[in-house]
Amino acid sequence: MGDAIRLGGFLVNPVEIEAVLKRFDGVADAQVVAVDMGGQTRVVAFLILTNHAQLDEADVIAQMRAQVAPFKVPARIWFVDAYPITLSSNGVKTQRNKLRDLALARLAEPVAAAGA
């Protein structure tokens, strides 16, 4: 539970949320990190899709709402081609700290105006 996240008063292992996301058609892999959003800890997800899969963030979030407790539903989902990794003697490790930094940067981006 070294990566445990406190959500809604509960300790949650991100692997629990990732396992649900990985069961969705078109999802090859999932990584979840916690970020502060408006003074509240929320999870966000990064998904790698299978070849030719096309998923929509809103649809994935809706599927998550139907399957997990509300506090485990990612606030945002981003689709990526790869994760930042570190190669070590123990194998490949995803750099969750870099994913967290990427999430914070994306959350800070201004929202594009409709029709622009």
PDB file of all heavy atoms in Angstrom, residues 40-56:
ATOM      1  N   GLN A  40      -9.176  19.451  -2.673  1.00  0.00           N
ATOM      2  CA  GLN A  40      -9.625  18.078  -2.430  1.00  0.00           C
ATOM      3  C   GLN A  40      -8.754  17.123  -3.234  1.00  0.00           C
ATOM      4  O   GLN A  40      -8.421  17.400  -4.395  1.00  0.00           O
ATOM      5  CB  GLN A  40     -11.086  17.949  -2.866  1.00  0.00           C
ATOM      6  CG  GLN A  40     -11.723  16.636  -2.542  1.00  0.00           C
ATOM      7  CD  GLN A  40     -13.199  16.632  -2.949  1.00  0.00           C
ATOM      8  OE1 GLN A  40     -13.639  17.404  -3.792  1.00  0.00           O
ATOM      9  NE2 GLN A  40     -13.950  15.735  -2.357  1.00  0.00           N
ATOM     10  N   THR A  41      -8.361  16.005  -2.642  1.00  0.00           N
ATOM     11  CA  THR A  41      -7.584  14.997  -3.357  1.00  0.00           C
ATOM     12  C   THR A  41      -8.511  14.226  -4.277  1.00  0.00           C
ATOM     13  O   THR A  41      -9.529  13.690  -3.835  1.00  0.00           O
ATOM     14  CB  THR A  41      -6.890  14.027  -2.382  1.00  0.00           C
ATOM     15  OG1 THR A  41      -6.036  14.780  -1.521  1.00  0.00           O
ATOM     16  CG2 THR A  41      -6.075  12.990  -3.131  1.00  0.00           C
ATOM     17  N   ARG A  42      -8.168  14.201  -5.551  1.00  0.00           N
ATOM     18  CA  ARG A  42      -8.937  13.477  -6.567  1.00  0.00           C
ATOM     19  C   ARG A  42      -7.986  12.629  -7.378  1.00  0.00           C
ATOM     20  O   ARG A  42      -6.794  12.932  -7.469  1.00  0.00           O
ATOM     21  CB  ARG A  42      -9.644  14.471  -7.511  1.00  0.00           C
ATOM     22  CG  ARG A  42     -10.635  15.400  -6.856  1.00  0.00           C
ATOM     23  CD  ARG A  42     -11.937  14.727  -6.446  1.00  0.00           C
ATOM     24  NE  ARG A  42     -12.567  13.955  -7.501  1.00  0.00           N
ATOM     25  CZ  ARG A  42     -13.443  14.427  -8.389  1.00  0.00           C
ATOM     26  NH1 ARG A  42     -13.800  15.688  -8.341  1.00  0.00           N
ATOM     27  NH2 ARG A  42     -13.956  13.635  -9.300  1.00  0.00           N
ATOM     28  N   VAL A  43      -8.497  11.586  -7.984  1.00  0.00           N
ATOM     29  CA  VAL A  43      -7.674  10.786  -8.881  1.00  0.00           C
ATOM     30  C   VAL A  43      -7.933  11.200 -10.317  1.00  0.00           C
ATOM     31  O   VAL A  43      -9.034  11.622 -10.679  1.00  0.00           O
ATOM     32  CB  VAL A  43      -7.899   9.265  -8.716  1.00  0.00           C
ATOM     33  CG1 VAL A  43      -7.388   8.776  -7.377  1.00  0.00           C
ATOM     34  CG2 VAL A  43      -9.329   8.873  -8.932  1.00  0.00           C
ATOM     35  N   VAL A  44      -6.879  11.091 -11.111  1.00  0.00           N
ATOM     36  CA  VAL A  44      -6.955  11.268 -12.552  1.00  0.00           C
ATOM     37  C   VAL A  44      -6.298  10.048 -13.171  1.00  0.00           C
ATOM     38  O   VAL A  44      -5.480   9.382 -12.535  1.00  0.00           O
ATOM     39  CB  VAL A  44      -6.269  12.573 -13.022  1.00  0.00           C
ATOM     40  CG1 VAL A  44      -6.992  13.796 -12.471  1.00  0.00           C
ATOM     41  CG2 VAL A  44      -4.807  12.601 -12.649  1.00  0.00           C
ATOM     42  N   ALA A  45      -6.670   9.745 -14.408  1.00  0.00           N
ATOM     43  CA  ALA A  45      -6.150   8.539 -15.046  1.00  0.00           C
ATOM     44  C   ALA A  45      -5.517   8.853 -16.386  1.00  0.00           C
ATOM     45  O   ALA A  45      -5.952   9.754 -17.103  1.00  0.00           O
ATOM     46  CB  ALA A  45      -7.276   7.527 -15.229  1.00  0.00           C
ATOM     47  N   PHE A  46      -4.500   8.080 -16.696  1.00  0.00           N
ATOM     48  CA  PHE A  46      -3.862   8.099 -18.004  1.00  0.00           C
ATOM     49  C   PHE A  46      -4.075   6.716 -18.605  1.00  0.00           C
ATOM     50  O   PHE A  46      -3.761   5.701 -17.969  1.00  0.00           O
ATOM     51  CB  PHE A  46      -2.362   8.380 -17.871  1.00  0.00           C
ATOM     52  CG  PHE A  46      -2.060   9.776 -17.408  1.00  0.00           C
ATOM     53  CD1 PHE A  46      -1.978  10.077 -16.056  1.00  0.00           C
ATOM     54  CD2 PHE A  46      -1.856  10.797 -18.335  1.00  0.00           C
ATOM     55  CE1 PHE A  46      -1.700  11.367 -15.633  1.00  0.00           C
ATOM     56  CE2 PHE A  46      -1.585  12.089 -17.912  1.00  0.00           C
ATOM     57  CZ  PHE A  46      -1.501  12.377 -16.564  1.00  0.00           C
ATOM     58  N   LEU A  47      -4.620   6.676 -19.823  1.00  0.00           N
ATOM     59  CA  LEU A  47      -4.904   5.403 -20.480  1.00  0.00           C
ATOM     60  C   LEU A  47      -4.109   5.277 -21.768  1.00  0.00           C
ATOM     61  O   LEU A  47      -3.989   6.233 -22.533  1.00  0.00           O
ATOM     62  CB  LEU A  47      -6.393   5.286 -20.821  1.00  0.00           C
ATOM     63  CG  LEU A  47      -7.396   5.423 -19.681  1.00  0.00           C
ATOM     64  CD1 LEU A  47      -8.812   5.216 -20.218  1.00  0.00           C
ATOM     65  CD2 LEU A  47      -7.098   4.467 -18.567  1.00  0.00           C
ATOM     66  N   ILE A  48      -3.596   4.076 -21.999  1.00  0.00           N
ATOM     67  CA  ILE A  48      -3.026   3.712 -23.285  1.00  0.00           C
ATOM     68  C   ILE A  48      -4.054   2.800 -23.938  1.00  0.00           C
ATOM     69  O   ILE A  48      -4.502   1.813 -23.328  1.00  0.00           O
ATOM     70  CB  ILE A  48      -1.683   2.983 -23.124  1.00  0.00           C
ATOM     71  CG1 ILE A  48      -0.636   3.932 -22.526  1.00  0.00           C
ATOM     72  CG2 ILE A  48      -1.206   2.437 -24.482  1.00  0.00           C
ATOM     73  CD1 ILE A  48       0.709   3.280 -22.227  1.00  0.00           C
ATOM     74  N   LEU A  49      -4.453   3.145 -25.146  1.00  0.00           N
ATOM     75  CA  LEU A  49      -5.490   2.392 -25.841  1.00  0.00           C
ATOM     76  C   LEU A  49      -4.881   1.311 -26.733  1.00  0.00           C
ATOM     77  O   LEU A  49      -3.732   1.420 -27.157  1.00  0.00           O
ATOM     78  CB  LEU A  49      -6.348   3.331 -26.688  1.00  0.00           C
ATOM     79  CG  LEU A  49      -7.055   4.457 -25.926  1.00  0.00           C
ATOM     80  CD1 LEU A  49      -7.865   5.312 -26.889  1.00  0.00           C
ATOM     81  CD2 LEU A  49      -7.943   3.898 -24.831  1.00  0.00           C
ATOM     82  N   THR A  50      -5.683   0.291 -27.011  1.00  0.00           N
ATOM     83  CA  THR A  50      -5.266  -0.731 -27.957  1.00  0.00           C
ATOM     84  C   THR A  50      -5.306  -0.136 -29.360  1.00  0.00           C
ATOM     85  O   THR A  50      -5.900   0.926 -29.581  1.00  0.00           O
ATOM     86  CB  THR A  50      -6.187  -1.971 -27.889  1.00  0.00           C
ATOM     87  OG1 THR A  50      -7.525  -1.547 -28.165  1.00  0.00           O
ATOM     88  CG2 THR A  50      -6.121  -2.638 -26.529  1.00  0.00           C
ATOM     89  N   ASN A  51      -4.699  -0.805 -30.299  1.00  0.00           N
ATOM     90  CA  ASN A  51      -4.670  -0.313 -31.687  1.00  0.00           C
ATOM     91  C   ASN A  51      -6.069  -0.003 -32.184  1.00  0.00           C
ATOM     92  O   ASN A  51      -6.986  -0.800 -32.028  1.00  0.00           O
ATOM     93  CB  ASN A  51      -4.024  -1.349 -32.601  1.00  0.00           C
ATOM     94  CG  ASN A  51      -2.541  -1.481 -32.345  1.00  0.00           C
ATOM     95  OD1 ASN A  51      -1.918  -0.578 -31.798  1.00  0.00           O
ATOM     96  ND2 ASN A  51      -1.973  -2.601 -32.726  1.00  0.00           N
ATOM     97  N   HIS A  52      -6.216   1.161 -32.748  1.00  0.00           N
ATOM     98  CA  HIS A  52      -7.448   1.614 -33.399  1.00  0.00           C
ATOM     99  C   HIS A  52      -8.623   1.852 -32.443  1.00  0.00           C
ATOM    100  O   HIS A  52      -9.723   2.126 -32.898  1.00  0.00           O
ATOM    101  CB  HIS A  52      -7.870   0.659 -34.517  1.00  0.00           C
ATOM    102  CG  HIS A  52      -6.767   0.372 -35.491  1.00  0.00           C
ATOM    103  ND1 HIS A  52      -6.224   1.344 -36.302  1.00  0.00           N
ATOM    104  CD2 HIS A  52      -6.082  -0.767 -35.760  1.00  0.00           C
ATOM    105  CE1 HIS A  52      -5.263   0.801 -37.046  1.00  0.00           C
ATOM    106  NE2 HIS A  52      -5.155  -0.473 -36.736  1.00  0.00           N
ATOM    107  N   ALA A  53      -8.417   1.695 -31.151  1.00  0.00           N
ATOM    108  CA  ALA A  53      -9.507   1.954 -30.200  1.00  0.00           C
ATOM    109  C   ALA A  53      -9.737   3.455 -30.108  1.00  0.00           C
ATOM    110  O   ALA A  53      -8.800   4.248 -30.172  1.00  0.00           O
ATOM    111  CB  ALA A  53      -9.174   1.388 -28.827  1.00  0.00           C
ATOM    112  N   GLN A  54     -10.989   3.820 -29.972  1.00  0.00           N
ATOM    113  CA  GLN A  54     -11.343   5.224 -29.793  1.00  0.00           C
ATOM    114  C   GLN A  54     -12.320   5.300 -28.631  1.00  0.00           C
ATOM    115  O   GLN A  54     -13.423   4.773 -28.713  1.00  0.00           O
ATOM    116  CB  GLN A  54     -11.970   5.793 -31.063  1.00  0.00           C
ATOM    117  CG  GLN A  54     -10.999   5.883 -32.204  1.00  0.00           C
ATOM    118  CD  GLN A  54     -11.579   6.617 -33.394  1.00  0.00           C
ATOM    119  OE1 GLN A  54     -12.720   7.036 -33.390  1.00  0.00           O
ATOM    120  NE2 GLN A  54     -10.778   6.775 -34.417  1.00  0.00           N
ATOM    121  N   LEU A  55     -11.871   5.921 -27.565  1.00  0.00           N
ATOM    122  CA  LEU A  55     -12.713   6.087 -26.384  1.00  0.00           C
ATOM    123  C   LEU A  55     -12.873   7.573 -26.110  1.00  0.00           C
ATOM    124  O   LEU A  55     -12.031   8.383 -26.472  1.00  0.00           O
ATOM    125  CB  LEU A  55     -12.096   5.396 -25.173  1.00  0.00           C
ATOM    126  CG  LEU A  55     -12.008   3.873 -25.231  1.00  0.00           C
ATOM    127  CD1 LEU A  55     -11.292   3.345 -23.998  1.00  0.00           C
ATOM    128  CD2 LEU A  55     -13.378   3.259 -25.342  1.00  0.00           C
ATOM    129  N   ASP A  56     -13.940   7.893 -25.437  1.00  0.00           N
ATOM    130  CA  ASP A  56     -14.248   9.260 -25.073  1.00  0.00           C
ATOM    131  C   ASP A  56     -14.137   9.379 -23.556  1.00  0.00           C
ATOM    132  O   ASP A  56     -14.617   8.508 -22.827  1.00  0.00           O
ATOM    133  CB  ASP A  56     -15.677   9.573 -25.560  1.00  0.00           C
ATOM    134  CG  ASP A  56     -16.112  10.955 -25.164  1.00  0.00           C
ATOM    135  OD1 ASP A  56     -15.671  11.912 -25.812  1.00  0.00           O
ATOM    136  OD2 ASP A  56     -16.907  11.058 -24.204  1.00  0.00           O
TER     137      ASP A  56
END
